[in-house]
Amino acid sequence: DGDGELRIEHAAARPAEAFRVRVTGRDWKWEIRYPGADGVLGTEDDPLTFRNLHLPARSEISVDLRSGDYAYSLYLPEVEVMEAAIPGAPFDLRFRTGDPGVHELKGSQMCGFAHPELLGKMYVQSRSDLDGWMAALPRAGKAGAGPG
């Protein structure tokens, strides 16, 4: 990245055709952003949402998992993925989605208190449904363009 952060990745290279999304634990909730029209994560045109993850069906997925403040845990039972989000240590998490459906997204934080905004759904949907849903999302804007 060149920004002084530790980057942890799985051994295999990220496929160029992978659908990319950034999931950041911040303020005891999941902030979820998708690349905007420029195709780059972390810019002002990124569609931004919270809590629920929307992904294309039958696709390779690359999640840029981060924490903006505390240690969090992301668990997606449907795709057998569980990983920690640690401040300053982005993680490239990769998996493949199956058929369309609605699945659990479980999250927790290490402080020991319950935070319901870390529990959500993983919506696996057709690409056309996903594109329509993303088009209606607010954009990150200048406040959302920082690292995180």
Side-chain angles (χ1 to χ4, degrees), residues 42-121:
T43 59
E44 294 181 21
D45 72 335
D46 291 353
L48 179 65
T49 189
F50 298 90
R51 193 178 193 178
N52 296 314
L53 182 60
H54 290 249
L55 301 171
R58 296 176 291 279
S59 298
E60 297 294 327
I61 307 298
S62 174
V63 175
D64 180 15
L65 182 62
R66 297 174 176 230
S67 170
D69 47 22
Y70 307 109
Y72 297 89
S73 174
L74 176 68
Y75 180 37
L76 303 170
E78 177 67 19
V79 292
E80 299 178 349
V81 165
M82 179 184 267
E83 191 57 62
I86 307 295
F91 189 83
D92 184 25
L93 183 62
R94 280 173 279 126
F95 56 90
R96 182 166 178 79
T97 55
D99 292 331
V102 180
H103 311 287
E104 290 181 282
L105 181 154
K106 296 181 178 184
S108 65
Q109 71 303 324
M110 307 305 175
C111 72
F113 293 99
H115 295 286
E117 292 299 312
L118 291 171
L119 303 176
K121 300 291 183 191

Side-chain angles (χ1 to χ4, degrees), residues 33-44:
R33 61 193 307 154
Y34 303 88
D38 64 5
V40 177
L41 275 170
T43 59
E44 294 181 21

